[in-house]
Amino acid sequence: MFAKRLSRCFFLILLVVSAQSFAVPKIEHWTTARGGRVYFVPTQGLPLVDVRLVFDAGSARDGAKFGLAALTSGLLDTGAGDWDADAIAQRLENVGANLATGAARDSAFVSLRSLTHPEKLGVALETAKEVLAHPRFDPKDLDREKSRTLLAIKQRGEEPDELVDIAFMKALYGDHPYAHPAEGFTETVQPLTREDLVDFHKRLYVVKNAIVVIVGDVKRAEAETMADTLLSGLPDGEAQPPLPDPVPNKTPEPVKTAFPSEQTHVLAGQLGMKVNDPDYFALYVGNHILGGSGLVSRVSMEVREKRGFAYSAYSYFYPQRVAGPFEIGLQTRNDKAEEAVQVAIKTVKDFVEQGPTDKELEASKQNIVGGFVLRLDSNQKLTGEVASIAFYNRPLDYLDTFTQKVQAVTKDDIKRAFKARIDPDHLQTVLVGGAVK
């Protein structure tokens, strides 16, 4: 036991020392002549470069055609210009490069990892440029991808954890663009056509709706050339308008769905915060204490450790471009579902009223600051962090000042921020499982 504690202490000290001595990478930023925003972090050591192009083209831009953003993103690299999927894969494999695409609620991306050798990098960039600019959206590929998506949607209907998440977002967001799942529903995916994808790509995969992030062992001039090359095949286009703010439901009613399972999945919460919320750090550190630090968090201690209601219980803020959800989650035995929900909500209520203790606050800060370096310990992780900073217009010194802002959070900050945003008496609750009759 002593050895384990000693090991944990040594690890914590190592993390703190590492975080304090860690040189935070500097982000360079410029806008291309055609209006594309570029974020560049030069690194040294490995002859690699990671590139990510982020578009304001996530599922929040689906309109009424739920699933359109995900389907468009998923088909980008299945054929472009003169190349089919095999030819694209072969070109990338020959130069040791990797390309991936994806879409989330706010954004869609194309990422590329390549060696920096000029000839190999040239082939990788030319391939990515073609994938971005001239996707085929071949009808056969579209049919195959739709079938795969429809199968996934059908399987999703057999998973109570998926159903509770969908019901929770719908209850929280109503008709807002965040309300539907990124992959859509059977009835919205089935009628999607090639023309839908072509139109979506034409409108949203444009220079003024794009951000280019480059992290790797290249010079600034090389990064400028890379960004211009990747954007050269895209039209200038227009940036997308802001998303509407979601409207809070002041009198939420419980949502309950019966499901033949021995466990009941529970979510409770309400609208939380935007990425650029002025109280971001107070809410972030506070939630780390409340339900974001695993088994030692308050919610987990009350629900799991003291009462054995669930294997895990948590809470988190999911900050987005507009207010993302604040969410408390647990999975419990059917006969303990209602009791577990009440315990979790009471824990939130106590925290909102009383705030954290000195000991909790100090431990939380040490844990967050100590783990900060692990968020940046690879080029790929760094690329993801910079892409988030760029997409959400966070300040360029966000990484430099992160630990300082965490350390500056006080108990009063947390108490005030939680009281201003979280109303434990009006949380939206959603239950899916055998406890619902």
Side-chain angles (χ1 to χ4, degrees):
M1 179 64 75
F2 175 75
K4 185 181 289 185
R5 288 177 178 170
L6 186 63
S7 175
R8 286 176 178 170
C9 289
F10 176 75
F11 182 63
L12 181 59
I13 291 170
L14 182 63
L15 285 179
V16 173
V17 171
S18 297
Q20 291 175 341
S21 60
F22 179 67
V24 176
K26 301 299 181 187
I27 303 171
E28 299 181 30
H29 168 54
W30 66 91
T31 301
T32 70
R34 297 177 56 213
R37 292 193 291 147
V38 186
Y39 293 75
F40 170 51
V41 178
T43 63
Q44 295 180 336
L46 295 173
L48 291 171
V49 62
D50 285 280
V51 183
R52 185 170 298 187
L53 287 98
V54 186
F55 297 87
D56 186 346
S59 64
R61 301 298 183 183
D62 278 343
K65 299 180 178 181
F66 302 162
L68 179 56
L71 205 54
T72 303
S73 171
L75 279 165
L76 286 177
D77 61 351
T78 59
D82 294 332
W83 309 319
D84 60 15
D86 289 339
I88 291 171
Q90 191 62 55
R91 283 177 63 85
L92 294 170
E93 184 179 338
N94 287 344
V95 296
N98 292 311
L99 186 142
T101 66
R105 192 160 271 123
D106 272 343
S107 64
F109 72 87
V110 174
S111 66
L112 176 70
R113 163 165 272 208
S114 172
L115 297 167
T116 55
H117 184 282
E119 290 186 9
K120 297 180 186 297
L121 179 57
V123 172
L125 289 173
E126 193 62 28
T127 307
K129 171 189 164 185
E130 197 71 357
V131 166
L132 282 163
H134 302 114
R136 289 180 172 180
F137 299 129
D138 187 290
K140 290 183 179 177
D141 294 329
L142 175 58
D143 289 343
R144 185 189 65 247
E145 191 67 15
K146 279 173 63 174
S147 296
R148 189 197 64 77
T149 302
L150 291 169
L151 178 60
I153 291 172
K154 182 180 179 183
Q155 292 173 337
R156 186 182 70 190
E158 300 168 357
E159 302 293 338
D161 57 332
E162 298 273 0
L163 295 177
V164 74
D165 189 57
I166 293 170
F168 179 70
M169 293 301 287
K170 179 62 179 174
L172 215 58
Y173 286 94
D175 295 327
H176 188 271
Y178 282 177
H180 67 277
E183 62 272 24
F185 300 102
T186 299
E187 62 272 23
T188 61
V189 171
Q190 188 66 64
L192 292 176
T193 66
R194 181 179 184 277
E195 287 67 33
D196 291 327
L197 274 65
V198 170
D199 176 68
F200 188 84
H201 177 265
K202 185 178 179 181
R203 288 188 297 108
L204 280 77
Y205 285 75
V206 298
V207 173
K208 291 180 180 175
N209 204 39
I211 292 167
V212 184
V213 175
I214 300 172
V215 176
D217 191 4
V218 294
K219 305 296 184 187
R220 164 72 180 254
E222 295 172 295
E224 291 179 359
T225 301
M226 290 171 62
D228 289 340
T229 298
L230 288 165
L231 296 175
S232 63
L234 300 178
D236 288 351
E238 296 294 337
Q240 288 296 293
L243 292 171
D245 285 321
V247 179
N249 183 355
K250 299 293 187 183
T251 56
E253 295 292 330
V255 175
K256 299 182 179 182
T257 303
F259 192 89
S261 59
E262 295 182 356
Q263 298 274 314
T264 294
H265 295 254
V266 180
L267 290 177
Q270 61 182 66
L271 299 182
M273 64 169 163
K274 301 179 182 179
V275 169
N276 290 313
D277 191 300
D279 284 327
Y280 175 87
F281 284 93
L283 295 169
Y284 176 65
V285 175
N287 184 67
H288 195 78
I289 299 164
L290 175 62
S293 53
L295 300 182
V296 299
S297 71
R298 280 202 188 185
V299 170
S300 182
M301 289 296 291
E302 294 295 330
V303 174
R304 180 183 187 277
E305 295 297 321
K306 291 184 179 178
R307 297 171 178 82
F309 286 161
Y311 286 115
S312 69
Y314 60 86
S315 70
Y316 65 74
F317 286 94
Y318 191 178
Q320 300 269 276
R321 177 166 278 178
V322 295
F326 165 70
E327 184 174 312
I328 309 155
L330 59 91
Q331 176 186 348
T332 186
R333 284 167 40 191
N334 291 333
D335 62 333
K336 295 297 182 183
E338 294 290 345
E339 196 173 351
V341 172
Q342 293 307 313
V343 169
I345 291 177
K346 184 178 185 308
T347 305
V348 175
K349 189 171 186 177
D350 291 344
F351 188 79
V352 171
E353 291 176 352
Q354 301 163 14
T357 65
D358 289 330
K359 185 178 179 181
E360 287 176 324
L361 180 58
E362 185 57 30
S364 180
K365 288 180 179 179
Q366 286 194 11
N367 190 256
I368 293 171
V369 171
F372 175 68
V373 66
L374 300 179
R375 295 170 54 172
L376 308 174
D377 62 358
S378 73
N379 278 11
Q380 286 181 313
K381 288 184 184 178
L382 180 57
T383 302
E385 290 285 343
V386 176
S388 176
I389 291 169
F391 186 78
Y392 291 114
N393 288 310
R394 281 171 158 158
L396 291 182
D397 66 352
Y398 176 78
L399 296 176
D400 301 80
T401 60
F402 181 88
T403 57
Q404 297 170 28
K405 290 181 177 176
V406 168
Q407 293 285 20
V409 171
T410 68
K411 288 196 302 181
D412 287 343
D413 291 336
I414 293 172
K415 195 172 176 180
R416 174 189 53 74
F418 268 77
K419 274 196 170 181
R421 287 169 178 76
I422 304 302
D423 181 357
D425 292 327
H426 293 89
L427 296 177
Q428 174 68 61
T429 59
V430 178
L431 288 81
V432 175
V436 181
K437 303 300 181 183

